[in-house]
PDB file of all heavy atoms in Angstrom:
ATOM      1  N   PHE A 683     -80.319 -15.320  71.811  1.00 96.00           N
ATOM      2  CA  PHE A 683     -81.328 -15.270  70.770  1.00 96.00           C
ATOM      3  C   PHE A 683     -81.630 -13.818  70.369  1.00 96.00           C
ATOM      4  O   PHE A 683     -82.423 -13.557  69.459  1.00 96.00           O
ATOM      5  CB  PHE A 683     -82.640 -15.923  71.246  1.00 96.00           C
ATOM      6  CG  PHE A 683     -83.171 -15.291  72.497  1.00 96.00           C
ATOM      7  CD1 PHE A 683     -83.894 -14.084  72.426  1.00 96.00           C
ATOM      8  CD2 PHE A 683     -82.884 -15.901  73.749  1.00 96.00           C
ATOM      9  CE1 PHE A 683     -84.315 -13.511  73.635  1.00 96.00           C
ATOM     10  CE2 PHE A 683     -83.341 -15.257  74.900  1.00 96.00           C
ATOM     11  CZ  PHE A 683     -84.059 -14.104  74.834  1.00 96.00           C
ATOM     12  N   LYS A 751     -98.679  -0.547  79.703  1.00 98.00           N
ATOM     13  CA  LYS A 751     -98.281  -1.946  79.811  1.00 98.00           C
ATOM     14  C   LYS A 751     -96.753  -1.972  79.789  1.00 98.00           C
ATOM     15  O   LYS A 751     -96.187  -1.683  78.708  1.00 98.00           O
ATOM     16  CB  LYS A 751     -98.880  -2.759  78.625  1.00 98.00           C
ATOM     17  CG  LYS A 751     -98.636  -4.233  78.692  1.00 98.00           C
ATOM     18  CD  LYS A 751     -99.398  -4.983  77.581  1.00 98.00           C
ATOM     19  CE  LYS A 751     -98.693  -4.986  76.327  1.00 98.00           C
ATOM     20  NZ  LYS A 751     -99.325  -5.768  75.233  1.00 98.00           N
ATOM     21  N   GLY A 786     -95.897  -9.853  78.418  1.00 98.00           N
ATOM     22  CA  GLY A 786     -95.528 -11.250  78.694  1.00 98.00           C
ATOM     23  C   GLY A 786     -94.047 -11.591  78.470  1.00 98.00           C
ATOM     24  O   GLY A 786     -93.660 -12.735  78.594  1.00 98.00           O
ATOM     25  N   GLY A 788     -89.740 -11.810  78.432  1.00 98.00           N
ATOM     26  CA  GLY A 788     -88.702 -12.263  79.385  1.00 98.00           C
ATOM     27  C   GLY A 788     -88.937 -13.713  79.869  1.00 98.00           C
ATOM     28  O   GLY A 788     -88.128 -14.170  80.613  1.00 98.00           O
ATOM     29  N   GLU A 790     -89.107 -16.534  77.940  1.00 98.00           N
ATOM     30  CA  GLU A 790     -88.217 -17.426  77.141  1.00 98.00           C
ATOM     31  C   GLU A 790     -88.651 -18.876  77.357  1.00 98.00           C
ATOM     32  O   GLU A 790     -89.758 -19.270  77.123  1.00 98.00           O
ATOM     33  CB  GLU A 790     -86.714 -17.167  77.460  1.00 98.00           C
ATOM     34  CG  GLU A 790     -86.301 -15.758  77.810  1.00 98.00           C
ATOM     35  CD  GLU A 790     -86.806 -14.617  76.882  1.00 98.00           C
ATOM     36  OE1 GLU A 790     -87.489 -14.947  75.909  1.00 98.00           O
ATOM     37  OE2 GLU A 790     -86.539 -13.483  77.159  1.00 98.00           O
ATOM     38  N   LYS A 900    -102.663 -15.246  71.543  1.00 98.00           N
ATOM     39  CA  LYS A 900    -102.322 -14.156  70.605  1.00 98.00           C
ATOM     40  C   LYS A 900    -101.208 -14.555  69.638  1.00 98.00           C
ATOM     41  O   LYS A 900    -100.248 -15.169  70.028  1.00 98.00           O
ATOM     42  CB  LYS A 900    -101.856 -12.918  71.441  1.00 98.00           C
ATOM     43  CG  LYS A 900    -101.576 -11.683  70.583  1.00 98.00           C
ATOM     44  CD  LYS A 900    -100.746 -10.671  71.388  1.00 98.00           C
ATOM     45  CE  LYS A 900    -101.569  -9.867  72.374  1.00 98.00           C
ATOM     46  NZ  LYS A 900    -100.801  -8.733  72.947  1.00 98.00           N
ATOM     47  N   TYR A 933     -88.303  -7.368  66.355  1.00 71.00           N
ATOM     48  CA  TYR A 933     -88.453  -8.421  65.352  1.00 71.00           C
ATOM     49  C   TYR A 933     -87.927  -8.047  63.984  1.00 71.00           C
ATOM     50  O   TYR A 933     -87.482  -8.932  63.266  1.00 71.00           O
ATOM     51  CB  TYR A 933     -89.904  -8.865  65.310  1.00 71.00           C
ATOM     52  CG  TYR A 933     -90.158  -9.669  66.568  1.00 71.00           C
ATOM     53  CD1 TYR A 933     -90.808  -9.103  67.616  1.00 71.00           C
ATOM     54  CD2 TYR A 933     -89.682 -10.947  66.690  1.00 71.00           C
ATOM     55  CE1 TYR A 933     -91.005  -9.769  68.791  1.00 71.00           C
ATOM     56  CE2 TYR A 933     -89.872 -11.670  67.835  1.00 71.00           C
ATOM     57  CZ  TYR A 933     -90.511 -11.081  68.894  1.00 71.00           C
ATOM     58  OH  TYR A 933     -90.664 -11.796  70.065  1.00 71.00           O
TER      59      TYR A 933
HETATM   60  O1  V47 B1056     -88.810 -11.438  75.887  1.00 67.75           O
HETATM   61  C1  V47 B1056     -86.352 -11.431  71.535  1.00 67.75           C
HETATM   62  C2  V47 B1056     -88.588 -12.208  72.445  1.00 67.75           C
HETATM   63  C3  V47 B1056     -89.779 -10.809  73.800  1.00 67.75           C
HETATM   64  C4  V47 B1056     -86.258 -12.652  69.724  1.00 67.75           C
HETATM   65  O2  V47 B1056     -97.427  -9.074  76.244  1.00 67.75           O
HETATM   66  C5  V47 B1056     -87.445 -12.877  70.375  1.00 67.75           C
HETATM   67  O3  V47 B1056     -98.713  -8.288  74.705  1.00 67.75           O
HETATM   68  C6  V47 B1056     -88.046 -14.338  68.746  1.00 67.75           C
HETATM   69  O4  V47 B1056     -92.670 -10.251  74.991  1.00 67.75           O
HETATM   70  N1  V47 B1056     -86.876 -14.222  68.086  1.00 67.75           N
HETATM   71  C7  V47 B1056     -90.303  -9.406  73.926  1.00 67.75           C
HETATM   72  N2  V47 B1056     -88.342 -13.725  69.869  1.00 67.75           N
HETATM   73  C8  V47 B1056     -91.625  -9.210  73.161  1.00 67.75           C
HETATM   74  C9  V47 B1056     -92.826  -9.623  73.999  1.00 67.75           C
HETATM   75  C10 V47 B1056     -94.164  -9.204  73.605  1.00 67.75           C
HETATM   76  C11 V47 B1056     -94.432  -8.818  72.270  1.00 67.75           C
HETATM   77  C12 V47 B1056     -95.682  -8.392  71.903  1.00 67.75           C
HETATM   78  C13 V47 B1056     -96.745  -8.366  72.812  1.00 67.75           C
HETATM   79  C14 V47 B1056     -96.507  -8.793  74.090  1.00 67.75           C
HETATM   80  C15 V47 B1056     -97.628  -8.724  75.102  1.00 67.75           C
HETATM   81  C16 V47 B1056     -95.219  -9.204  74.492  1.00 67.75           C
HETATM   82  O5  V47 B1056     -89.355 -11.006  72.469  1.00 67.75           O
HETATM   83  C17 V47 B1056     -88.549 -11.153  74.581  1.00 67.75           C
HETATM   84  C18 V47 B1056     -88.074 -12.413  73.881  1.00 67.75           C
HETATM   85  O6  V47 B1056     -88.760 -13.579  74.361  1.00 67.75           O
HETATM   86  N3  V47 B1056     -87.487 -12.127  71.481  1.00 67.75           N
HETATM   87  N4  V47 B1056     -85.581 -11.720  70.446  1.00 67.75           N
HETATM   88  C19 V47 B1056     -85.965 -13.396  68.530  1.00 67.75           C
HETATM   89  N5  V47 B1056     -84.791 -13.292  67.881  1.00 67.75           N
END
Side-chain angles (χ1 to χ4, degrees):
F683 57 81
K751 184 171 83 177
E790 325 314 358
K900 184 195 282 188
Y933 288 99

